[in-house]
PDB file of all heavy atoms in Angstrom:
ATOM      1  N   LEU B 335     175.057 160.853 299.595  1.00 82.00           N
ATOM      2  CA  LEU B 335     174.873 161.409 298.257  1.00 82.00           C
ATOM      3  C   LEU B 335     174.476 162.875 298.299  1.00 82.00           C
ATOM      4  O   LEU B 335     175.045 163.715 297.594  1.00 82.00           O
ATOM      5  CB  LEU B 335     173.784 160.622 297.518  1.00 82.00           C
ATOM      6  CG  LEU B 335     174.211 159.501 296.599  1.00 82.00           C
ATOM      7  CD1 LEU B 335     172.985 158.842 295.994  1.00 82.00           C
ATOM      8  CD2 LEU B 335     175.089 160.044 295.485  1.00 82.00           C
ATOM      9  N   ILE B 336     173.501 163.162 299.135  1.00 80.00           N
ATOM     10  CA  ILE B 336     172.953 164.515 299.187  1.00 80.00           C
ATOM     11  C   ILE B 336     174.034 165.499 299.661  1.00 80.00           C
ATOM     12  O   ILE B 336     174.219 166.577 299.053  1.00 80.00           O
ATOM     13  CB  ILE B 336     171.745 164.567 300.133  1.00 80.00           C
ATOM     14  CG1 ILE B 336     170.576 163.825 299.471  1.00 80.00           C
ATOM     15  CG2 ILE B 336     171.350 165.996 300.461  1.00 80.00           C
ATOM     16  CD1 ILE B 336     169.475 163.486 300.429  1.00 80.00           C
ATOM     17  N   LEU B 337     174.758 165.123 300.716  1.00 83.00           N
ATOM     18  CA  LEU B 337     175.783 166.039 301.218  1.00 83.00           C
ATOM     19  C   LEU B 337     176.901 166.238 300.210  1.00 83.00           C
ATOM     20  O   LEU B 337     177.405 167.344 300.044  1.00 83.00           O
ATOM     21  CB  LEU B 337     176.348 165.514 302.535  1.00 83.00           C
ATOM     22  CG  LEU B 337     175.414 165.720 303.730  1.00 83.00           C
ATOM     23  CD1 LEU B 337     176.092 165.268 304.982  1.00 83.00           C
ATOM     24  CD2 LEU B 337     175.002 167.179 303.846  1.00 83.00           C
ATOM     25  N   SER B 338     177.250 165.171 299.499  1.00 80.00           N
ATOM     26  CA  SER B 338     178.339 165.342 298.543  1.00 80.00           C
ATOM     27  C   SER B 338     177.897 166.266 297.415  1.00 80.00           C
ATOM     28  O   SER B 338     178.698 167.051 296.908  1.00 80.00           O
ATOM     29  CB  SER B 338     178.823 163.992 298.015  1.00 80.00           C
ATOM     30  OG  SER B 338     177.822 163.425 297.222  1.00 80.00           O
ATOM     31  N   ILE B 339     176.627 166.199 297.055  1.00 77.00           N
ATOM     32  CA  ILE B 339     176.145 167.117 296.010  1.00 77.00           C
ATOM     33  C   ILE B 339     176.212 168.559 296.489  1.00 77.00           C
ATOM     34  O   ILE B 339     176.709 169.450 295.793  1.00 77.00           O
ATOM     35  CB  ILE B 339     174.698 166.773 295.616  1.00 77.00           C
ATOM     36  CG1 ILE B 339     174.700 165.460 294.840  1.00 77.00           C
ATOM     37  CG2 ILE B 339     174.074 167.885 294.789  1.00 77.00           C
ATOM     38  CD1 ILE B 339     173.333 164.999 294.499  1.00 77.00           C
ATOM     39  N   SER B 340     175.740 168.785 297.708  1.00 78.00           N
ATOM     40  CA  SER B 340     175.689 170.182 298.154  1.00 78.00           C
ATOM     41  C   SER B 340     177.093 170.721 298.362  1.00 78.00           C
ATOM     42  O   SER B 340     177.324 171.920 298.212  1.00 78.00           O
ATOM     43  CB  SER B 340     174.819 170.309 299.411  1.00 78.00           C
ATOM     44  OG  SER B 340     175.528 169.922 300.547  1.00 78.00           O
ATOM     45  N   ILE B 341     178.048 169.882 298.695  1.00 81.00           N
ATOM     46  CA  ILE B 341     179.400 170.383 298.891  1.00 81.00           C
ATOM     47  C   ILE B 341     180.137 170.556 297.564  1.00 81.00           C
ATOM     48  O   ILE B 341     180.857 171.516 297.355  1.00 81.00           O
ATOM     49  CB  ILE B 341     180.180 169.486 299.873  1.00 81.00           C
ATOM     50  CG1 ILE B 341     179.661 169.779 301.273  1.00 81.00           C
ATOM     51  CG2 ILE B 341     181.684 169.763 299.798  1.00 81.00           C
ATOM     52  CD1 ILE B 341     180.193 168.891 302.338  1.00 81.00           C
ATOM     53  N   ARG B 342     179.886 169.646 296.630  1.00 76.00           N
ATOM     54  CA  ARG B 342     180.533 169.759 295.323  1.00 76.00           C
ATOM     55  C   ARG B 342     180.146 171.064 294.616  1.00 76.00           C
ATOM     56  O   ARG B 342     180.925 171.603 293.852  1.00 76.00           O
ATOM     57  CB  ARG B 342     180.143 168.575 294.446  1.00 76.00           C
ATOM     58  CG  ARG B 342     181.144 167.462 294.542  1.00 76.00           C
ATOM     59  CD  ARG B 342     180.558 166.181 294.002  1.00 76.00           C
ATOM     60  NE  ARG B 342     181.387 165.057 294.435  1.00 76.00           N
ATOM     61  CZ  ARG B 342     182.544 164.758 293.850  1.00 76.00           C
ATOM     62  NH1 ARG B 342     182.986 165.462 292.850  1.00 76.00           N
ATOM     63  NH2 ARG B 342     183.233 163.735 294.305  1.00 76.00           N
ATOM     64  N   SER B 343     178.930 171.539 294.870  1.00 76.00           N
ATOM     65  CA  SER B 343     178.508 172.770 294.221  1.00 76.00           C
ATOM     66  C   SER B 343     179.264 173.974 294.829  1.00 76.00           C
ATOM     67  O   SER B 343     179.118 175.085 294.368  1.00 76.00           O
ATOM     68  CB  SER B 343     177.007 172.958 294.339  1.00 76.00           C
ATOM     69  OG  SER B 343     176.673 173.199 295.673  1.00 76.00           O
ATOM     70  N   ARG B 344     180.054 173.710 295.889  1.00 81.00           N
ATOM     71  CA  ARG B 344     180.779 174.817 296.528  1.00 81.00           C
ATOM     72  C   ARG B 344     182.285 174.731 296.254  1.00 81.00           C
ATOM     73  O   ARG B 344     183.087 175.297 296.977  1.00 81.00           O
ATOM     74  CB  ARG B 344     180.481 174.811 298.011  1.00 81.00           C
ATOM     75  CG  ARG B 344     179.022 175.109 298.296  1.00 81.00           C
ATOM     76  CD  ARG B 344     178.651 174.829 299.712  1.00 81.00           C
ATOM     77  NE  ARG B 344     179.244 175.806 300.610  1.00 81.00           N
ATOM     78  CZ  ARG B 344     179.076 175.751 301.919  1.00 81.00           C
ATOM     79  NH1 ARG B 344     178.346 174.797 302.461  1.00 81.00           N
ATOM     80  NH2 ARG B 344     179.657 176.661 302.685  1.00 81.00           N
ATOM     81  N   LYS B 345     182.618 174.056 295.188  1.00 81.00           N
ATOM     82  CA  LYS B 345     184.031 173.891 294.807  1.00 81.00           C
ATOM     83  C   LYS B 345     184.716 175.245 294.689  1.00 81.00           C
ATOM     84  O   LYS B 345     185.790 175.504 295.251  1.00 81.00           O
ATOM     85  CB  LYS B 345     184.054 173.191 293.439  1.00 81.00           C
ATOM     86  CG  LYS B 345     185.212 172.277 293.240  1.00 81.00           C
ATOM     87  CD  LYS B 345     185.163 171.820 291.799  1.00 81.00           C
ATOM     88  CE  LYS B 345     185.215 170.311 291.703  1.00 81.00           C
ATOM     89  NZ  LYS B 345     185.199 169.866 290.310  1.00 81.00           N
ATOM     90  N   HIS B 346     184.062 176.131 293.951  1.00 81.00           N
ATOM     91  CA  HIS B 346     184.569 177.463 293.717  1.00 81.00           C
ATOM     92  C   HIS B 346     184.875 178.177 295.034  1.00 81.00           C
ATOM     93  O   HIS B 346     185.921 178.779 295.231  1.00 81.00           O
ATOM     94  CB  HIS B 346     183.509 178.225 292.906  1.00 81.00           C
ATOM     95  CG  HIS B 346     184.015 179.504 292.334  1.00 81.00           C
ATOM     96  ND1 HIS B 346     183.175 180.492 291.910  1.00 81.00           N
ATOM     97  CD2 HIS B 346     185.256 179.940 292.095  1.00 81.00           C
ATOM     98  CE1 HIS B 346     183.883 181.494 291.468  1.00 81.00           C
ATOM     99  NE2 HIS B 346     185.167 181.183 291.545  1.00 81.00           N
ATOM    100  N   GLU B 347     183.917 178.077 295.927  1.00 84.00           N
ATOM    101  CA  GLU B 347     184.024 178.716 297.241  1.00 84.00           C
ATOM    102  C   GLU B 347     185.250 178.195 297.993  1.00 84.00           C
ATOM    103  O   GLU B 347     186.005 178.953 298.601  1.00 84.00           O
ATOM    104  CB  GLU B 347     182.740 178.450 298.014  1.00 84.00           C
ATOM    105  CG  GLU B 347     182.639 179.186 299.327  1.00 84.00           C
ATOM    106  CD  GLU B 347     181.458 178.677 300.136  1.00 84.00           C
ATOM    107  OE1 GLU B 347     180.502 178.178 299.522  1.00 84.00           O
ATOM    108  OE2 GLU B 347     181.524 178.753 301.381  1.00 84.00           O
ATOM    109  N   ILE B 348     185.427 176.865 297.926  1.00 84.00           N
ATOM    110  CA  ILE B 348     186.565 176.264 298.632  1.00 84.00           C
ATOM    111  C   ILE B 348     187.856 176.835 298.097  1.00 84.00           C
ATOM    112  O   ILE B 348     188.775 177.195 298.839  1.00 84.00           O
ATOM    113  CB  ILE B 348     186.545 174.717 298.483  1.00 84.00           C
ATOM    114  CG1 ILE B 348     185.343 174.128 299.195  1.00 84.00           C
ATOM    115  CG2 ILE B 348     187.846 174.110 299.056  1.00 84.00           C
ATOM    116  CD1 ILE B 348     185.195 172.642 299.067  1.00 84.00           C
ATOM    117  N   GLY B 349     187.924 176.969 296.759  1.00 85.00           N
ATOM    118  CA  GLY B 349     189.126 177.523 296.128  1.00 85.00           C
ATOM    119  C   GLY B 349     189.414 178.918 296.667  1.00 85.00           C
ATOM    120  O   GLY B 349     190.564 179.228 297.006  1.00 85.00           O
ATOM    121  N   ILE B 350     188.381 179.754 296.739  1.00 86.00           N
ATOM    122  CA  ILE B 350     188.562 181.131 297.217  1.00 86.00           C
ATOM    123  C   ILE B 350     189.045 181.134 298.658  1.00 86.00           C
ATOM    124  O   ILE B 350     189.988 181.825 299.034  1.00 86.00           O
ATOM    125  CB  ILE B 350     187.261 181.934 297.047  1.00 86.00           C
ATOM    126  CG1 ILE B 350     186.954 182.094 295.558  1.00 86.00           C
ATOM    127  CG2 ILE B 350     187.381 183.299 297.734  1.00 86.00           C
ATOM    128  CD1 ILE B 350     185.604 182.684 295.255  1.00 86.00           C
ATOM    129  N   LEU B 351     188.364 180.298 299.509  1.00 86.00           N
ATOM    130  CA  LEU B 351     188.730 180.242 300.924  1.00 86.00           C
ATOM    131  C   LEU B 351     190.195 179.803 301.070  1.00 86.00           C
ATOM    132  O   LEU B 351     190.948 180.381 301.856  1.00 86.00           O
ATOM    133  CB  LEU B 351     187.819 179.293 301.687  1.00 86.00           C
ATOM    134  CG  LEU B 351     186.386 179.771 301.933  1.00 86.00           C
ATOM    135  CD1 LEU B 351     185.558 178.683 302.567  1.00 86.00           C
ATOM    136  CD2 LEU B 351     186.372 181.031 302.801  1.00 86.00           C
ATOM    137  N   LEU B 352     190.607 178.814 300.285  1.00 85.00           N
ATOM    138  CA  LEU B 352     191.992 178.332 300.354  1.00 85.00           C
ATOM    139  C   LEU B 352     192.954 179.441 299.926  1.00 85.00           C
ATOM    140  O   LEU B 352     193.988 179.661 300.537  1.00 85.00           O
ATOM    141  CB  LEU B 352     192.195 177.104 299.472  1.00 85.00           C
ATOM    142  CG  LEU B 352     191.654 175.777 299.986  1.00 85.00           C
ATOM    143  CD1 LEU B 352     191.808 174.703 298.908  1.00 85.00           C
ATOM    144  CD2 LEU B 352     192.387 175.351 301.255  1.00 85.00           C
ATOM    145  N   ALA B 353     192.569 180.169 298.872  1.00 86.00           N
ATOM    146  CA  ALA B 353     193.411 181.237 298.341  1.00 86.00           C
ATOM    147  C   ALA B 353     193.598 182.358 299.356  1.00 86.00           C
ATOM    148  O   ALA B 353     194.639 182.997 299.409  1.00 86.00           O
ATOM    149  CB  ALA B 353     192.812 181.790 297.053  1.00 86.00           C
ATOM    150  N   THR B 354     192.582 182.609 300.193  1.00 87.00           N
ATOM    151  CA  THR B 354     192.704 183.656 301.199  1.00 87.00           C
ATOM    152  C   THR B 354     193.509 183.183 302.395  1.00 87.00           C
ATOM    153  O   THR B 354     193.614 183.874 303.397  1.00 87.00           O
ATOM    154  CB  THR B 354     191.329 184.151 301.671  1.00 87.00           C
ATOM    155  OG1 THR B 354     190.593 183.033 302.130  1.00 87.00           O
ATOM    156  CG2 THR B 354     190.560 184.886 300.597  1.00 87.00           C
ATOM    157  N   GLY B 355     194.030 181.962 302.317  1.00 85.00           N
ATOM    158  CA  GLY B 355     194.936 181.480 303.365  1.00 85.00           C
ATOM    159  C   GLY B 355     194.278 180.789 304.527  1.00 85.00           C
ATOM    160  O   GLY B 355     194.879 180.541 305.559  1.00 85.00           O
ATOM    161  N   ILE B 356     193.017 180.410 304.360  1.00 85.00           N
ATOM    162  CA  ILE B 356     192.343 179.697 305.435  1.00 85.00           C
ATOM    163  C   ILE B 356     192.749 178.222 305.405  1.00 85.00           C
ATOM    164  O   ILE B 356     192.808 177.619 304.333  1.00 85.00           O
ATOM    165  CB  ILE B 356     190.809 179.863 305.303  1.00 85.00           C
ATOM    166  CG1 ILE B 356     190.456 181.334 305.607  1.00 85.00           C
ATOM    167  CG2 ILE B 356     190.051 178.947 306.271  1.00 85.00           C
ATOM    168  CD1 ILE B 356     189.064 181.715 305.270  1.00 85.00           C
TER     169      ILE B 356
END
Side-chain angles (χ1 to χ4, degrees):
Chain B
L335 264 179
I336 289 164
L337 284 184
S338 68
I339 289 176
S340 79
I341 285 174
R342 267 164 196 282
S343 68
R344 294 168 71 181
K345 213 187 233 181
H346 193 199
E347 186 190 334
I348 294 177
I350 294 172
L351 288 175
L352 283 174
T354 55
I356 291 169

